[in-house]
PDB file of all heavy atoms in Angstrom:
ATOM      1  N   GLY A  63      -9.906   0.142  11.608  1.00  0.00           N
ATOM      2  CA  GLY A  63     -10.715   1.326  11.328  1.00  0.00           C
ATOM      3  C   GLY A  63     -10.068   2.248  10.310  1.00  0.00           C
ATOM      4  O   GLY A  63      -9.545   1.825   9.285  1.00  0.00           O
ATOM      5  N   ILE A  64     -10.112   3.533  10.620  1.00  0.00           N
ATOM      6  CA  ILE A  64      -9.584   4.533   9.682  1.00  0.00           C
ATOM      7  C   ILE A  64      -8.082   4.354   9.481  1.00  0.00           C
ATOM      8  O   ILE A  64      -7.554   4.629   8.392  1.00  0.00           O
ATOM      9  CB  ILE A  64      -9.942   5.945  10.183  1.00  0.00           C
ATOM     10  CG1 ILE A  64     -11.464   6.137  10.108  1.00  0.00           C
ATOM     11  CG2 ILE A  64      -9.250   7.029   9.351  1.00  0.00           C
ATOM     12  CD1 ILE A  64     -11.972   7.429  10.705  1.00  0.00           C
ATOM     13  N   GLN A  65      -7.380   3.853  10.498  1.00  0.00           N
ATOM     14  CA  GLN A  65      -5.931   3.672  10.356  1.00  0.00           C
ATOM     15  C   GLN A  65      -5.562   2.546   9.384  1.00  0.00           C
ATOM     16  O   GLN A  65      -4.423   2.478   8.936  1.00  0.00           O
ATOM     17  CB  GLN A  65      -5.282   3.434  11.725  1.00  0.00           C
ATOM     18  CG  GLN A  65      -5.323   4.647  12.648  1.00  0.00           C
ATOM     19  CD  GLN A  65      -4.028   4.851  13.404  1.00  0.00           C
ATOM     20  OE1 GLN A  65      -2.999   5.180  12.808  1.00  0.00           O
ATOM     21  NE2 GLN A  65      -4.062   4.669  14.718  1.00  0.00           N
ATOM     22  N   GLN A  66      -6.517   1.676   9.058  1.00  0.00           N
ATOM     23  CA  GLN A  66      -6.203   0.605   8.092  1.00  0.00           C
ATOM     24  C   GLN A  66      -6.515   1.008   6.654  1.00  0.00           C
ATOM     25  O   GLN A  66      -6.192   0.279   5.717  1.00  0.00           O
ATOM     26  CB  GLN A  66      -6.943  -0.680   8.459  1.00  0.00           C
ATOM     27  CG  GLN A  66      -8.457  -0.604   8.421  1.00  0.00           C
ATOM     28  CD  GLN A  66      -9.101  -0.762   7.070  1.00  0.00           C
ATOM     29  OE1 GLN A  66      -8.734  -1.659   6.308  1.00  0.00           O
ATOM     30  NE2 GLN A  66     -10.075   0.085   6.754  1.00  0.00           N
ATOM     31  N   GLU A  67      -7.169   2.149   6.458  1.00  0.00           N
ATOM     32  CA  GLU A  67      -7.645   2.488   5.122  1.00  0.00           C
ATOM     33  C   GLU A  67      -6.520   2.641   4.096  1.00  0.00           C
ATOM     34  O   GLU A  67      -6.653   2.206   2.948  1.00  0.00           O
ATOM     35  CB  GLU A  67      -8.474   3.770   5.185  1.00  0.00           C
ATOM     36  CG  GLU A  67      -9.815   3.579   5.874  1.00  0.00           C
ATOM     37  CD  GLU A  67     -10.670   4.837   5.890  1.00  0.00           C
ATOM     38  OE1 GLU A  67     -10.208   5.880   5.367  1.00  0.00           O
ATOM     39  OE2 GLU A  67     -11.779   4.779   6.430  1.00  0.00           O
ATOM     40  N   THR A  68      -5.423   3.252   4.499  1.00  0.00           N
ATOM     41  CA  THR A  68      -4.312   3.428   3.565  1.00  0.00           C
ATOM     42  C   THR A  68      -3.777   2.075   3.114  1.00  0.00           C
ATOM     43  O   THR A  68      -3.546   1.844   1.908  1.00  0.00           O
ATOM     44  CB  THR A  68      -3.186   4.240   4.212  1.00  0.00           C
ATOM     45  OG1 THR A  68      -3.703   5.503   4.644  1.00  0.00           O
ATOM     46  CG2 THR A  68      -2.053   4.476   3.232  1.00  0.00           C
ATOM     47  N   ARG A  69      -3.577   1.167   4.079  1.00  0.00           N
ATOM     48  CA  ARG A  69      -3.081  -0.169   3.715  1.00  0.00           C
ATOM     49  C   ARG A  69      -4.098  -0.931   2.866  1.00  0.00           C
ATOM     50  O   ARG A  69      -3.730  -1.662   1.940  1.00  0.00           O
ATOM     51  CB  ARG A  69      -2.768  -0.971   4.976  1.00  0.00           C
ATOM     52  CG  ARG A  69      -1.315  -0.968   5.423  1.00  0.00           C
ATOM     53  CD  ARG A  69      -0.907   0.285   6.077  1.00  0.00           C
ATOM     54  NE  ARG A  69       0.524   0.315   6.379  1.00  0.00           N
ATOM     55  CZ  ARG A  69       1.147   1.392   6.850  1.00  0.00           C
ATOM     56  NH1 ARG A  69       0.460   2.507   7.045  1.00  0.00           N
ATOM     57  NH2 ARG A  69       2.441   1.371   7.088  1.00  0.00           N
ATOM     58  N   ASP A  70      -5.371  -0.761   3.166  1.00  0.00           N
ATOM     59  CA  ASP A  70      -6.406  -1.414   2.370  1.00  0.00           C
ATOM     60  C   ASP A  70      -6.303  -0.999   0.905  1.00  0.00           C
ATOM     61  O   ASP A  70      -6.417  -1.837  -0.005  1.00  0.00           O
ATOM     62  CB  ASP A  70      -7.784  -1.055   2.926  1.00  0.00           C
ATOM     63  CG  ASP A  70      -8.914  -1.582   2.061  1.00  0.00           C
ATOM     64  OD1 ASP A  70      -9.062  -2.809   1.950  1.00  0.00           O
ATOM     65  OD2 ASP A  70      -9.634  -0.756   1.464  1.00  0.00           O
ATOM     66  N   LYS A  71      -6.070   0.288   0.656  1.00  0.00           N
ATOM     67  CA  LYS A  71      -5.921   0.770  -0.729  1.00  0.00           C
ATOM     68  C   LYS A  71      -4.668   0.187  -1.381  1.00  0.00           C
ATOM     69  O   LYS A  71      -4.660  -0.124  -2.575  1.00  0.00           O
ATOM     70  CB  LYS A  71      -5.878   2.291  -0.748  1.00  0.00           C
ATOM     71  CG  LYS A  71      -7.212   2.956  -0.427  1.00  0.00           C
ATOM     72  CD  LYS A  71      -7.102   4.463  -0.520  1.00  0.00           C
ATOM     73  CE  LYS A  71      -8.441   5.145  -0.312  1.00  0.00           C
ATOM     74  NZ  LYS A  71      -9.004   4.930   1.016  1.00  0.00           N
ATOM     75  N   VAL A  72      -3.593   0.063  -0.606  1.00  0.00           N
ATOM     76  CA  VAL A  72      -2.354  -0.523  -1.136  1.00  0.00           C
ATOM     77  C   VAL A  72      -2.603  -1.969  -1.562  1.00  0.00           C
ATOM     78  O   VAL A  72      -2.174  -2.404  -2.647  1.00  0.00           O
ATOM     79  CB  VAL A  72      -1.230  -0.453  -0.090  1.00  0.00           C
ATOM     80  CG1 VAL A  72      -0.012  -1.265  -0.534  1.00  0.00           C
ATOM     81  CG2 VAL A  72      -0.826   0.998   0.152  1.00  0.00           C
ATOM     82  N   ILE A  73      -3.317  -2.720  -0.715  1.00  0.00           N
ATOM     83  CA  ILE A  73      -3.602  -4.123  -1.022  1.00  0.00           C
ATOM     84  C   ILE A  73      -4.506  -4.234  -2.253  1.00  0.00           C
ATOM     85  O   ILE A  73      -4.296  -5.073  -3.130  1.00  0.00           O
ATOM     86  CB  ILE A  73      -4.270  -4.803   0.191  1.00  0.00           C
ATOM     87  CG1 ILE A  73      -3.300  -4.832   1.377  1.00  0.00           C
ATOM     88  CG2 ILE A  73      -4.734  -6.208  -0.156  1.00  0.00           C
ATOM     89  CD1 ILE A  73      -3.961  -5.192   2.699  1.00  0.00           C
ATOM     90  N   THR A  74      -5.516  -3.368  -2.314  1.00  0.00           N
ATOM     91  CA  THR A  74      -6.535  -3.471  -3.356  1.00  0.00           C
ATOM     92  C   THR A  74      -6.038  -2.996  -4.719  1.00  0.00           C
ATOM     93  O   THR A  74      -6.336  -3.613  -5.751  1.00  0.00           O
ATOM     94  CB  THR A  74      -7.782  -2.664  -2.953  1.00  0.00           C
ATOM     95  OG1 THR A  74      -8.262  -3.134  -1.693  1.00  0.00           O
ATOM     96  CG2 THR A  74      -8.886  -2.792  -3.994  1.00  0.00           C
ATOM     97  N   TYR A  75      -5.276  -1.917  -4.729  1.00  0.00           N
ATOM     98  CA  TYR A  75      -4.982  -1.247  -5.997  1.00  0.00           C
ATOM     99  C   TYR A  75      -3.529  -1.345  -6.463  1.00  0.00           C
ATOM    100  O   TYR A  75      -3.213  -0.908  -7.564  1.00  0.00           O
ATOM    101  CB  TYR A  75      -5.368   0.227  -5.900  1.00  0.00           C
ATOM    102  CG  TYR A  75      -6.832   0.444  -5.608  1.00  0.00           C
ATOM    103  CD1 TYR A  75      -7.250   0.977  -4.396  1.00  0.00           C
ATOM    104  CD2 TYR A  75      -7.805   0.096  -6.541  1.00  0.00           C
ATOM    105  CE1 TYR A  75      -8.603   1.168  -4.113  1.00  0.00           C
ATOM    106  CE2 TYR A  75      -9.157   0.275  -6.270  1.00  0.00           C
ATOM    107  CZ  TYR A  75      -9.546   0.813  -5.059  1.00  0.00           C
ATOM    108  OH  TYR A  75     -10.868   0.992  -4.783  1.00  0.00           O
ATOM    109  N   ARG A  76      -2.631  -1.900  -5.656  1.00  0.00           N
ATOM    110  CA  ARG A  76      -1.226  -1.964  -6.070  1.00  0.00           C
ATOM    111  C   ARG A  76      -0.773  -3.410  -6.280  1.00  0.00           C
ATOM    112  O   ARG A  76      -1.124  -4.299  -5.508  1.00  0.00           O
ATOM    113  CB  ARG A  76      -0.316  -1.297  -5.030  1.00  0.00           C
ATOM    114  CG  ARG A  76      -0.482   0.223  -4.977  1.00  0.00           C
ATOM    115  CD  ARG A  76       0.404   0.811  -3.894  1.00  0.00           C
ATOM    116  NE  ARG A  76       0.275   2.260  -3.810  1.00  0.00           N
ATOM    117  CZ  ARG A  76       1.122   3.124  -4.341  1.00  0.00           C
ATOM    118  NH1 ARG A  76       2.196   2.678  -4.980  1.00  0.00           N
ATOM    119  NH2 ARG A  76       0.940   4.429  -4.214  1.00  0.00           N
ATOM    120  N   LYS A  77       0.056  -3.590  -7.300  1.00  0.00           N
ATOM    121  CA  LYS A  77       0.671  -4.888  -7.546  1.00  0.00           C
ATOM    122  C   LYS A  77       1.775  -5.115  -6.523  1.00  0.00           C
ATOM    123  O   LYS A  77       2.276  -4.161  -5.910  1.00  0.00           O
ATOM    124  CB  LYS A  77       1.241  -4.930  -8.969  1.00  0.00           C
ATOM    125  CG  LYS A  77       0.167  -4.805 -10.047  1.00  0.00           C
ATOM    126  CD  LYS A  77       0.793  -4.801 -11.441  1.00  0.00           C
ATOM    127  CE  LYS A  77      -0.280  -4.664 -12.512  1.00  0.00           C
ATOM    128  NZ  LYS A  77       0.296  -4.625 -13.878  1.00  0.00           N
ATOM    129  N   PRO A  78       2.188  -6.377  -6.318  1.00  0.00           N
ATOM    130  CA  PRO A  78       3.200  -6.673  -5.290  1.00  0.00           C
ATOM    131  C   PRO A  78       4.466  -5.822  -5.389  1.00  0.00           C
ATOM    132  O   PRO A  78       4.983  -5.343  -4.371  1.00  0.00           O
ATOM    133  CB  PRO A  78       3.497  -8.160  -5.510  1.00  0.00           C
ATOM    134  CG  PRO A  78       2.208  -8.702  -6.027  1.00  0.00           C
ATOM    135  CD  PRO A  78       1.640  -7.609  -6.896  1.00  0.00           C
ATOM    136  N   GLU A  79       4.976  -5.610  -6.621  1.00  0.00           N
ATOM    137  CA  GLU A  79       6.208  -4.812  -6.733  1.00  0.00           C
ATOM    138  C   GLU A  79       5.969  -3.356  -6.328  1.00  0.00           C
ATOM    139  O   GLU A  79       6.863  -2.697  -5.777  1.00  0.00           O
ATOM    140  CB  GLU A  79       6.772  -4.885  -8.150  1.00  0.00           C
ATOM    141  CG  GLU A  79       5.813  -4.431  -9.250  1.00  0.00           C
ATOM    142  CD  GLU A  79       4.977  -5.542  -9.824  1.00  0.00           C
ATOM    143  OE1 GLU A  79       4.735  -6.554  -9.114  1.00  0.00           O
ATOM    144  OE2 GLU A  79       4.562  -5.419 -10.989  1.00  0.00           O
ATOM    145  N   ASP A  80       4.747  -2.852  -6.581  1.00  0.00           N
ATOM    146  CA  ASP A  80       4.415  -1.489  -6.174  1.00  0.00           C
ATOM    147  C   ASP A  80       4.147  -1.419  -4.669  1.00  0.00           C
ATOM    148  O   ASP A  80       4.388  -0.394  -4.035  1.00  0.00           O
ATOM    149  CB  ASP A  80       3.193  -0.983  -6.942  1.00  0.00           C
ATOM    150  CG  ASP A  80       3.477  -0.784  -8.414  1.00  0.00           C
ATOM    151  OD1 ASP A  80       4.630  -0.431  -8.743  1.00  0.00           O
ATOM    152  OD2 ASP A  80       2.566  -1.002  -9.240  1.00  0.00           O
ATOM    153  N   GLN A  81       3.641  -2.517  -4.104  1.00  0.00           N
ATOM    154  CA  GLN A  81       3.440  -2.565  -2.656  1.00  0.00           C
ATOM    155  C   GLN A  81       4.773  -2.438  -1.920  1.00  0.00           C
ATOM    156  O   GLN A  81       4.896  -1.688  -0.946  1.00  0.00           O
ATOM    157  CB  GLN A  81       2.755  -3.875  -2.256  1.00  0.00           C
ATOM    158  CG  GLN A  81       1.310  -3.984  -2.720  1.00  0.00           C
ATOM    159  CD  GLN A  81       0.689  -5.325  -2.364  1.00  0.00           C
ATOM    160  OE1 GLN A  81       1.332  -6.189  -1.753  1.00  0.00           O
ATOM    161  NE2 GLN A  81      -0.566  -5.521  -2.761  1.00  0.00           N
ATOM    162  N   ARG A  82       5.763  -3.166  -2.394  1.00  0.00           N
ATOM    163  CA  ARG A  82       7.092  -3.097  -1.762  1.00  0.00           C
ATOM    164  C   ARG A  82       7.654  -1.680  -1.874  1.00  0.00           C
ATOM    165  O   ARG A  82       8.187  -1.136  -0.900  1.00  0.00           O
ATOM    166  CB  ARG A  82       8.040  -4.109  -2.415  1.00  0.00           C
ATOM    167  CG  ARG A  82       9.457  -4.109  -1.825  1.00  0.00           C
ATOM    168  CD  ARG A  82      10.323  -5.106  -2.566  1.00  0.00           C
ATOM    169  NE  ARG A  82       9.957  -6.471  -2.256  1.00  0.00           N
ATOM    170  CZ  ARG A  82      10.492  -7.179  -1.262  1.00  0.00           C
ATOM    171  NH1 ARG A  82      11.423  -6.646  -0.484  1.00  0.00           N
ATOM    172  NH2 ARG A  82      10.113  -8.422  -1.051  1.00  0.00           N
ATOM    173  N   LYS A  83       7.514  -1.068  -3.037  1.00  0.00           N
ATOM    174  CA  LYS A  83       7.992   0.307  -3.217  1.00  0.00           C
ATOM    175  C   LYS A  83       7.272   1.255  -2.273  1.00  0.00           C
ATOM    176  O   LYS A  83       7.884   2.132  -1.653  1.00  0.00           O
ATOM    177  CB  LYS A  83       7.776   0.736  -4.666  1.00  0.00           C
ATOM    178  CG  LYS A  83       8.262   2.145  -4.975  1.00  0.00           C
ATOM    179  CD  LYS A  83       8.004   2.510  -6.435  1.00  0.00           C
ATOM    180  CE  LYS A  83       8.431   3.951  -6.715  1.00  0.00           C
ATOM    181  NZ  LYS A  83       8.159   4.346  -8.125  1.00  0.00           N
ATOM    182  N   TRP A  84       5.959   1.066  -2.140  1.00  0.00           N
ATOM    183  CA  TRP A  84       5.177   1.913  -1.240  1.00  0.00           C
ATOM    184  C   TRP A  84       5.663   1.758   0.196  1.00  0.00           C
ATOM    185  O   TRP A  84       5.759   2.745   0.942  1.00  0.00           O
ATOM    186  CB  TRP A  84       3.687   1.543  -1.350  1.00  0.00           C
ATOM    187  CG  TRP A  84       2.796   2.447  -0.543  1.00  0.00           C
ATOM    188  CD1 TRP A  84       2.196   3.595  -0.960  1.00  0.00           C
ATOM    189  CD2 TRP A  84       2.424   2.268   0.826  1.00  0.00           C
ATOM    190  NE1 TRP A  84       1.472   4.153   0.059  1.00  0.00           N
ATOM    191  CE2 TRP A  84       1.592   3.367   1.179  1.00  0.00           C
ATOM    192  CE3 TRP A  84       2.711   1.317   1.799  1.00  0.00           C
ATOM    193  CZ2 TRP A  84       1.039   3.511   2.450  1.00  0.00           C
ATOM    194  CZ3 TRP A  84       2.170   1.458   3.076  1.00  0.00           C
ATOM    195  CH2 TRP A  84       1.343   2.541   3.381  1.00  0.00           C
ATOM    196  N   LEU A  85       5.960   0.548   0.606  1.00  0.00           N
ATOM    197  CA  LEU A  85       6.443   0.313   1.972  1.00  0.00           C
ATOM    198  C   LEU A  85       7.773   1.020   2.223  1.00  0.00           C
ATOM    199  O   LEU A  85       7.987   1.596   3.306  1.00  0.00           O
ATOM    200  CB  LEU A  85       6.581  -1.191   2.232  1.00  0.00           C
ATOM    201  CG  LEU A  85       5.266  -1.944   2.463  1.00  0.00           C
ATOM    202  CD1 LEU A  85       5.500  -3.447   2.397  1.00  0.00           C
ATOM    203  CD2 LEU A  85       4.653  -1.555   3.802  1.00  0.00           C
ATOM    204  N   TYR A  86       8.655   1.001   1.236  1.00  0.00           N
ATOM    205  CA  TYR A  86       9.917   1.729   1.395  1.00  0.00           C
ATOM    206  C   TYR A  86       9.664   3.227   1.586  1.00  0.00           C
ATOM    207  O   TYR A  86      10.328   3.889   2.389  1.00  0.00           O
ATOM    208  CB  TYR A  86      10.821   1.515   0.176  1.00  0.00           C
ATOM    209  CG  TYR A  86      11.715   0.299   0.272  1.00  0.00           C
ATOM    210  CD1 TYR A  86      11.491  -0.820  -0.520  1.00  0.00           C
ATOM    211  CD2 TYR A  86      12.785   0.282   1.159  1.00  0.00           C
ATOM    212  CE1 TYR A  86      12.308  -1.939  -0.434  1.00  0.00           C
ATOM    213  CE2 TYR A  86      13.607  -0.833   1.259  1.00  0.00           C
ATOM    214  CZ  TYR A  86      13.376  -1.944   0.466  1.00  0.00           C
ATOM    215  OH  TYR A  86      14.188  -3.049   0.574  1.00  0.00           O
ATOM    216  N   GLU A  87       8.684   3.752   0.860  1.00  0.00           N
ATOM    217  CA  GLU A  87       8.428   5.188   0.918  1.00  0.00           C
ATOM    218  C   GLU A  87       7.647   5.607   2.153  1.00  0.00           C
ATOM    219  O   GLU A  87       7.683   6.768   2.552  1.00  0.00           O
ATOM    220  CB  GLU A  87       7.655   5.620  -0.339  1.00  0.00           C
ATOM    221  CG  GLU A  87       8.457   5.490  -1.620  1.00  0.00           C
ATOM    222  CD  GLU A  87       7.615   5.715  -2.863  1.00  0.00           C
ATOM    223  OE1 GLU A  87       6.363   5.749  -2.742  1.00  0.00           O
ATOM    224  OE2 GLU A  87       8.191   5.839  -3.962  1.00  0.00           O
ATOM    225  N   ASN A  88       6.950   4.662   2.784  1.00  0.00           N
ATOM    226  CA  ASN A  88       6.027   5.034   3.855  1.00  0.00           C
ATOM    227  C   ASN A  88       6.300   4.343   5.189  1.00  0.00           C
ATOM    228  O   ASN A  88       5.463   4.388   6.089  1.00  0.00           O
ATOM    229  CB  ASN A  88       4.590   4.736   3.423  1.00  0.00           C
ATOM    230  CG  ASN A  88       4.124   5.638   2.293  1.00  0.00           C
ATOM    231  OD1 ASN A  88       3.657   6.739   2.515  1.00  0.00           O
ATOM    232  ND2 ASN A  88       4.259   5.151   1.064  1.00  0.00           N
TER     233      ASN A  88
END
């Protein structure tokens, strides 16, 4: 639901290297 929305945006709009960076920050 709403709790998956942030991750959905990460998957949709970020490249793998940016996904890893996002995970470190969040």
Side-chain angles (χ1 to χ4, degrees):
I64 293 174
Q65 292 222 68
Q66 63 82 45
E67 289 182 359
T68 303
R69 263 76 186 173
D70 174 65
K71 289 182 176 63
V72 170
I73 296 167
T74 303
Y75 300 112
R76 290 178 180 260
K77 296 178 181 179
E79 57 269 26
D80 292 328
Q81 291 177 1
R82 180 182 288 270
K83 181 180 177 181
W84 185 91
L85 284 167
Y86 272 109
E87 293 171 348
N88 292 275

